[in-house]
Amino acid sequence: MSPPLQQVASDEQLPKYADVVVIGAGIAGCTAAYELAKRVFQVALIDKGRVGGEQSSRNWGWVRQQHRDLRELPLAMKSLEIWGALNQEIGAETGFRRTGLVYVTTRLDDFAQWEAWTQKAREHQMHTKVLTPAEAKALTPGSVPQWIGGVHSPTDGRAEPSLAVPAIAEAARRHGATIHQDCAARGLEIEAGKVSGVITEKGVIRTQAVLLAGGAWSGLFCCRHGVRLKQASVTSTSFATHAAPEVTPGGLSMPDVTIRRRLDGGYTVGLGGRGRVELSPQGLSHASAFWPTFRKRRWGLTLSIGRSFFDGPEQLAHWSFDRPTPFERHRTLDPAADPKLVQLGLTRLGEHYPALKELRVAHAWGGMIDSTPDGIPVISAVDTMPGLFLSTGYSGHGFGIGPGAGRLAADLIADDPPIVDPHPFRFSRMIDGTDLGEPGMM
Ligand SMILES: Cc1cc2nc3c(=O)[nH]c(=O)nc-3n(C[C@H](O)[C@H](O)[C@H](O)COP(=O)(O)OP(=O)(O)OC[C@H]3O[C@@H](n4cnc5c(N)ncnc54)[C@H](O)[C@@H]3O)c2cc1C
């Protein structure tokens, strides 16, 4: 079941030309389209399904700097600045509120990692507070466990995945971008080694610049053009509750379960670290690159083999551009929620917070999280294919970083001074093997 999502209308006419075609209308594509349209580029934003229909409406809505991989912390900090001004700037509700985020734990190794991160983050002028057991309790009144400590990041916040991306897409349109849904990109037209157009199911758009922001599908799209983007996905379960008593104004992470207060007074509940990995041809071909991360996280992962082996975003496929492609066969990736995980979430919440014992589930859904081997995104030109840019591989934390990522992608395409050093996000690291360290905390 898909979570609620504000609907966006499509523009009727597919343009014959655009300065930039953005493939994928999740947060990565919509923020880039908005930033480019503001700079008066003629932008066509296309999606095989709906604006925000995949990960960008299925996430927990945490907008955080806390526990970011240090390589992307500067971009996360810039993103928080942008989020803070965004509602006013676009004249629409993204749901962003700077409520702070709280993490509490009963596990020594969690606490040790958080303390170490907090020390290192200070070098980036990121200040969060490590909590004593008493302080952790004071920030979670009504909770039962004896927390051994926690962290509090008051400058972090939350936003509404059901509202934010549609609002940003509409803002891009007000600056002149056109939006085309149910419009899969089948492939690229290449002339003399350079991008010269995008072949969509509704016709060709001539262009010299393409931003691929296809989420879990980016690897498959790249593969068709011989570009080796290493990507693998994990399916995760989340659910939304009906309105319930307020125990936190923002996000609260506890062992096994996280909650995020929504504007409507309910909670979005996530099961940290748990998910399903479906074996896939693409995943297997990148197995050695992903092995260290998998080994670290395998306690919470189940392995399966399913339909996606032959027919999902990680199939090995070759298609011709004049007939329907895998993208049109899957307008919206909508994996089923795992009922056992929903039950686990409810049980843990009741144990941690008696006030939340009677929570009622309004919707439950699955979401496919695309990751890179080193757990940070690719926001970069592809040197071997002039005109192709990537903004993808957000590894489970792209919603919060989305506004900064959109600005960085626009900077690279426009050849403007970048908002942060783009080096950590270069695509070439996947080719030459540089900097493919293990991911930091997620
Ligand atoms: C359960 C869950 C919880 C999460 N919680 C958080 C959180 O609290 N905070 C946080 O920061 N992040 C979180 N994330 C991660 C975050 O949601 C993602 O990193 C982010 O939304 C990725 O955005 P995207 O634009 O790259 O991809 P997506 O939102 O997946 O968008 C990609 C789009 O590309 C389109 N597309 C693909 N191929 C084509 C094609 N060939 N032609 C046309 N269109 C195409 C798809 O239809 C899709 O709409 C969570 C993710 C999940 C699943």
Side-chain angles (χ1 to χ4, degrees):
M1 184 191 207
S2 293
L5 175 62
Q6 187 72 39
Q7 294 300 305
V8 168
S10 289
D11 287 283
E12 269 173 28
Q13 202 75 48
L14 192 75
K16 293 206 172 345
Y17 171 83
D19 296 329
V20 185
V21 177
V22 177
I23 302 174
I27 194 152
C30 290
T31 51
Y34 170 63
E35 291 290 339
L36 286 161
K38 269 200 311 186
R39 295 174 209 190
V40 208
F41 283 87
Q42 216 178 312
V43 178
L45 172 62
I46 66 175
D47 200 287
K48 63 183 175 55
R50 310 302 299 174
V51 167
E54 294 196 342
Q55 293 173 82
S56 296
S57 58
R58 291 160 192 269
N59 64 74
W60 303 343
W62 290 53
V63 176
R64 66 179 169 87
Q65 304 151 103
Q66 184 68 45
H67 298 331
R68 283 274 168 190
D69 190 306
L70 293 171
R71 293 168 292 188
E72 66 176 14
L73 183 57
L75 192 57
M77 293 171 78
K78 291 285 183 195
S79 295
L80 259 294
E81 279 174 36
I82 300 172
W83 276 111
L86 200 55
N87 282 348
Q88 201 176 4
E89 183 180 317
I90 65 176
E93 179 63 273
T94 61
F96 179 75
R97 301 289 184 273
R98 203 180 285 279
T99 49
L101 300 173
V102 176
Y103 293 68
V104 287
T105 190
T106 51
R107 298 171 183 157
L108 280 170
D109 51 345
D110 283 347
F111 188 65
Q113 271 194 11
W114 299 350
E115 269 191 310
W117 184 91
T118 304
Q119 289 293 337
K120 289 195 197 125
R122 290 209 176 114
E123 291 163 23
H124 296 266
Q125 279 66 58
M126 169 70 200
H127 295 279
T128 57
K129 187 167 168 40
V130 175
L131 304 173
T132 63
E135 288 166 336
K137 206 49 157 183
L139 278 173
T140 56
S143 65
V144 172
Q146 290 307 314
W147 310 123
I148 60 163
V151 280
H152 178 214
S153 56
T155 55
D156 281 336
R158 59 171 164 96
E160 293 298 338
S162 61
L163 301 177
V165 173
I168 296 165
E170 293 287 14
R173 175 153 46 206
R174 284 195 292 280
H175 284 280
T178 57
I179 300 175
H180 310 278
Q181 298 168 106
D182 296 319
C183 182
R186 291 177 169 171
L188 302 175
E189 272 191 349
I190 312 286
E191 281 171 20
K194 293 184 188 161
V195 170
S196 61
V198 175
I199 305 158
T200 82
E201 63 182 295
K202 295 182 176 169
V204 174
I205 311 175
R206 304 281 301 169
T207 187
Q208 273 86 52
V210 171
L211 179 69
L212 175 62
W217 299 90
S218 297
L220 183 64
F221 190 93
C222 282
C223 190
R224 176 66 181 79
H225 290 282
V227 174
R228 205 170 143 76
L229 173 70
K230 290 180 194 157
Q231 216 184 4
S233 299
V234 176
T235 302
S236 161
T237 290
S238 311
F239 62 94
T241 72
H242 288 286
E246 177 169 314
V247 300
T248 178
L252 173 59
S253 166
M254 298 168 277
D256 289 338
V257 68
T258 67
I259 52 176
R260 194 263 305 171
R261 187 82 173 153
R262 290 196 313 272
L263 286 183
D264 66 6
Y267 292 99
T268 294
V269 182
L271 290 309
R274 308 223 174 220
R276 192 177 73 243
V277 176
E278 283 199 13
L279 291 178
S280 68
Q282 246 192 79
L284 290 172
S285 74
H286 302 318
S288 60
F290 283 96
W291 175 246
T293 311
F294 177 73
R295 209 183 37 200
K296 217 154 105 185
R297 307 238 153 100
R298 70 183 161 193
W299 66 268
L301 299 175
T302 54
L303 268 181
S304 70
I305 187 161
R307 197 177 138 222
S308 66
F309 194 90
F310 307 102
D311 197 26
E314 294 180 19
Q315 61 185 291
L316 282 186
H318 190 88
W319 58 88
S320 100
F321 299 142
D322 57 2
R323 44 183 93 109
T325 62
F327 310 111
E328 288 137 276
R329 285 202 296 278
H330 297 272
R331 292 282 172 203
T332 301
L333 265 180
D334 184 22
D338 180 341
K340 286 198 198 117
L341 290 181
V342 174
Q343 192 47 54
L344 175 72
L346 288 172
T347 306
R348 285 286 181 274
L349 281 176
E351 287 166 2
H352 293 336
Y353 264 109
L356 300 182
K357 230 181 185 124
E358 305 302 326
L359 279 181
R360 284 182 309 121
V361 177
H363 319 273
W365 62 87
M368 208 179 247
I369 297 175
D370 67 305
S371 297
T372 59
D374 54 4
I376 59 171
V378 176
I379 310 170
S380 171
V382 175
D383 297 337
T384 50
M385 193 172 286
L388 177 61
F389 295 81
L390 302 175
S391 176
T392 197
Y394 284 90
S395 306
H397 41 270
F399 182 68
I401 211 173
R407 191 163 297 174
L408 179 59
D411 294 340
L412 297 177
I413 293 168
D415 205 13
D416 287 340
I419 182 173
V420 295
D421 177 8
H423 188 70
F425 310 116
R426 68 199 181 283
F427 171 64
S428 61
R429 74 189 199 267
M430 295 217 167
I431 306 300
D432 59 25
T434 49
D435 204 30
L436 286 183
E438 284 184 37
M441 277 192 279
M442 287 186 173

